[in-house]
Amino acid sequence: MRGAVIHAPGDVRFEERDDPKIINPTDAVIRTVATCVCGSDLWDYRGINQVTEPTPIGHEYVGIVEETGGDVTSVQPGQFVIGSFFASDNTCAHCRYGYQSSCRHREFVGGCQAELVRVPLADGTLVATPDRPTDDLVPSLLALSDVMGTGWYAAVAAEVTPGMTVAVVGDGAVGLSGVIAAKELGAERIIAMSRHTTRQKLATEFGATDIVTERGDAGVARIKELTGGVGADAVLECVGTPESTQQALRSTRPGGNVGFVGVPHGVEIDGEELFFSHVALRGGPAPVRRFLPDLINRVFEGRIDPGKVFDLTLPLDQVAEGYRAMDERRAIKTLLRP
């Protein structure tokens, strides 16, 4: 088969790779219908995460089951399935509490920007759609594999409930998905922090009621101004930098919550400041599997359309251009079709 391999910062190639095989009886192999480039892939592409050798890349996928191991019972060849970037058994104690991304037997599902993908722990990881989706639903279903599930977790972790004022730090695909999640969970006011016109427009379409263009201390001051000096009830941190984390914490009212899902890079939180803020933090890698059945239903019912975060679609063999477009902020998120 063919798939994407990152060789060095800025160097993603589309190459021949070995076909994935069933290794364990709990495995499945799927033929990719769509995959994409994630904002977190850019950490490697930009050299912020070290790349020491050629490595298959990508962790978002939807596709058709090609083959299953002998112990797999929940999905079968021919079904359209969605899975998470972490494989989970969905039965261990952590999974039962809803934290499948901390499964005691978890495995990272990588190398997904490819024609075929091996998915470990298929029974606990893959969810079949009720019917074979029409082509127009594929982008939204693909979004559930990571960014929509991650945005949803940010809102759940921040304990968004009806009537709240919610601020979203980050206007990438996860932040925009967080706007959808906050709207679906009943937030009355949703403040999206964005400096980019196209992203502001999409945030508004998804349910944002206010746009804040300022960043840092100025952004915090603007949030306080919009909330009568109080701060937001809940803040979704969807970037992972020291600046975005500090902005999220300081924009939250005392007693409020921050859901942080941006992969942290260089983030340090001052314990004394946190102590006196009365702000609660929860985050981490999103337990996407917990939310998949509900989110799949919302997509099929037409309640949410997170696929709109894909503003560039390319053939899989043009994956390198997909990375360049996102790196240069010419695209929010690139969808790839084998």
Side-chain angles (χ1 to χ4, degrees):
M1 71 165 187
R2 299 176 301 167
V5 177
I6 186 166
H7 286 252
D11 184 6
V12 171
R13 307 177 194 176
F14 191 62
E15 300 180 340
E16 291 289 331
R17 287 169 36 194
D18 292 338
D19 287 356
K21 307 288 186 185
I22 299 293
I23 298 173
N24 300 311
T26 51
D27 292 347
V29 172
I30 69 167
R31 181 165 296 279
T32 309
V33 170
T35 182
C36 54
V37 181
C38 183
S40 62
D41 294 330
L42 296 181
W43 294 110
D44 295 2
Y45 187 77
R46 292 169 174 163
I48 298 168
N49 290 341
Q50 191 174 17
V51 179
T52 58
E53 60 183 4
T55 306
I57 193 168
H59 55 266
E60 298 160 283
Y61 57 96
V62 294
I64 305 297
V65 178
E66 286 268 299
E67 184 182 4
T68 59
D71 291 348
V72 176
T73 60
S74 66
V75 296
Q76 58 189 7
Q79 287 185 305
F80 187 99
V81 293
I82 306 167
S84 168
F85 48 87
F86 272 125
S88 59
D89 59 26
N90 210 31
T91 59
C92 80
H94 302 324
C95 289
R96 293 197 304 272
Y97 280 114
Y99 285 86
Q100 290 90 338
S101 48
S102 283
C103 176
R104 297 180 68 183
H105 304 105
R106 75 176 185 183
E107 293 185 46
F108 184 67
V109 185
C112 297
Q113 291 161 6
E115 294 170 330
L116 296 166
V117 177
R118 170 183 165 264
V119 181
L121 302 172
D123 274 343
T125 304
L126 296 175
V127 178
T129 56
D131 299 297
R132 182 74 68 92
T134 54
D135 195 62
D136 62 304
L137 289 182
V138 168
S140 284
L141 295 171
L142 175 61
L144 307 187
S145 181
D146 183 352
V147 290
M148 186 64 239
T150 296
W152 195 271
Y153 175 57
V156 169
E159 299 185 9
V160 174
T161 55
M164 276 189 171
T165 293
V166 177
V168 181
V169 179
D171 62 359
V174 172
L176 292 167
S177 297
V179 172
I180 294 175
K183 177 73 172 178
E184 286 290 296
L185 292 174
E188 183 174 305
R189 193 174 191 185
I190 302 170
I191 305 167
M193 308 191 84
S194 173
R195 289 180 168 181
H196 303 90
T197 303
T198 56
R199 299 174 189 225
Q200 293 170 358
K201 182 179 178 182
L202 192 52
T204 301
E205 185 178 343
F206 283 162
T209 56
D210 302 85
I211 301 293
V212 168
T213 59
E214 296 87 348
R215 291 183 180 175
D217 291 341
V220 173
R222 182 64 178 139
I223 295 289
K224 294 290 181 69
E225 180 184 346
L226 289 170
T227 57
V230 175
D233 300 309
V235 178
L236 316 187
E237 195 290 307
C238 304
V239 183
T241 64
E243 296 78 12
S244 63
T245 303
Q246 186 175 77
Q247 184 169 292
L249 285 169
R250 293 179 177 177
S251 297
T252 311
R253 66 166 173 80
N257 300 279
V258 173
F260 63 102
V261 297
V263 180
H265 285 75
V267 173
E268 295 183 0
I269 296 172
D270 183 273
E272 185 174 354
E273 180 179 354
L274 181 63
F275 181 79
F276 284 103
S277 72
H278 277 134
V279 171
L281 295 174
R282 175 175 285 121
V288 170
R289 176 62 181 83
R290 188 208 308 185
F291 309 120
L292 277 177
D294 177 42
L295 294 178
I296 288 169
N297 285 338
R298 290 174 192 260
V299 168
F300 269 82
E301 291 170 0
R303 292 177 55 182
I304 61 173
D305 189 8
K308 290 181 178 179
V309 300
F310 296 107
D311 55 348
L312 178 63
T313 298
L314 295 172
L316 183 56
D317 61 8
Q318 295 182 31
V319 59
E321 169 57 19
Y323 274 84
R324 283 192 294 270
M326 287 179 62
D327 180 49
E328 297 166 6
R329 299 186 76 84
R330 290 184 283 113
I332 299 172
K333 191 167 178 66
T334 303
L335 186 146
L336 302 165
R337 295 271 195 172

